[in-house]
Structures are given as structure tokens and as C-alpha cells.
Amino acid sequence: MTPDRYDAFARLAGPWLEEHRCCQFAIGEDSGREERAVYIAVNSDCMACYCGRTRPTRILAGGASVVRIHQHITTTRSKYEEWAGYWMLPLVQEAPDEFVDWLERTVTARLGLPRRHNRSRW
């Protein structure tokens, strides 16, 4: 994952992008107060490992991305051991569910990540 790649993904988000945050967050670091987002987990070499999305049905304390990352690493040992940080595309609250899902699928495909993690949603 690189700043140039982040910029390309931010352009895909278009008017639904809440804020341009072209930086890597450490695992456990709160990214803000976003509720809708697409996040990209990376390893210590900054290689993308996973792409996910958040569009919670209830208000979460802190940013939704850090909450989802925490859920992943506490339930899957390999993710805990591999993931070192994450990048995040925060989306406005009004972003439609279909768009959030489309952006996640598109980012996943452009990163060349396997879709097996999200088989039930596609």
C-alpha cells in the first residue's frame, strides 16, 4: 500500500469520501469517528493483507474501522500475527450501503486480494 494507491482509491470514493486520510494507522490506533469506511490491513512490509468495510447498524465508541480491526485480530490468530497497520477511506454517513459494498469489492480486486474472506457477501 502506498500513498499513490491510496489516492487512486480516494478518487474512486468521489463525493462519498468524508476526508482524505493518506496515512497508515497502527493496529489499535483510533482513526477517528467514522462510521462508514473501507479499510485495508497491511503487514510490516506495508503489503495489503485484507480489505474490509464498515457500515454498522448501531453507533460505536470510536472509529468503526478500529473496532472492526480489533474484532478481526481478537478472533483470528493469523491476523493478529500478520497485521501491522491499516489504511482507511472514511465515507460520509449518507453513503449508500450498495456503494460501500462496491468500493470494498473494487479495492479488494485492484489490490489483487482473494475474495474468499467475503464469500457470503458476493
Side-chain angles (χ1 to χ4, degrees):
M1 191 64 191
T2 65
D4 287 342
R5 185 159 273 182
Y6 179 90
D7 290 342
F9 296 148
R11 283 191 299 277
L12 287 174
W16 300 115
L17 187 68
E18 181 177 57
E19 180 183 8
H20 192 269
R21 296 186 195 166
C22 187
C23 62
Q24 180 176 318
F25 295 92
I27 294 297
E29 181 181 357
D30 198 347
S31 55
R33 296 286 173 235
E34 80 286 344
E35 290 183 29
R36 294 177 170 266
V38 170
Y39 57 90
I40 302 144
V42 297
N43 64 19
S44 59
D45 294 326
C46 211
M47 299 295 293
C49 305
Y50 181 88
C51 179
R53 56 107 171 105
T54 103
R55 47 182 184 88
T57 56
R58 60 184 170 80
I59 295 174
L60 303 171
S65 296
V66 74
V67 171
R68 285 295 296 136
I69 294 280
H70 180 74
Q71 290 170 342
H72 283 292
I73 65 171
T74 57
T75 58
T76 308
R77 183 178 179 91
S78 63
K79 290 176 182 177
Y80 173 81
E81 292 171 350
E82 182 179 19
W83 294 5
Y86 68 102
W87 296 66
M88 193 255 310
L89 296 157
L91 304 173
V92 296
Q93 181 70 20
E94 297 79 20
D97 290 350
E98 297 78 19
F99 177 78
V100 178
D101 295 347
W102 173 85
L103 186 60
E104 177 198 20
R105 287 190 311 267
T106 302
V107 170
T108 297
R110 292 195 179 184
L111 288 169
L113 295 172
R115 294 175 17 173
R116 71 177 184 274
H117 301 291
N118 302 315
R119 185 176 305 149
S120 63
R121 292 198 313 245
W122 299 356

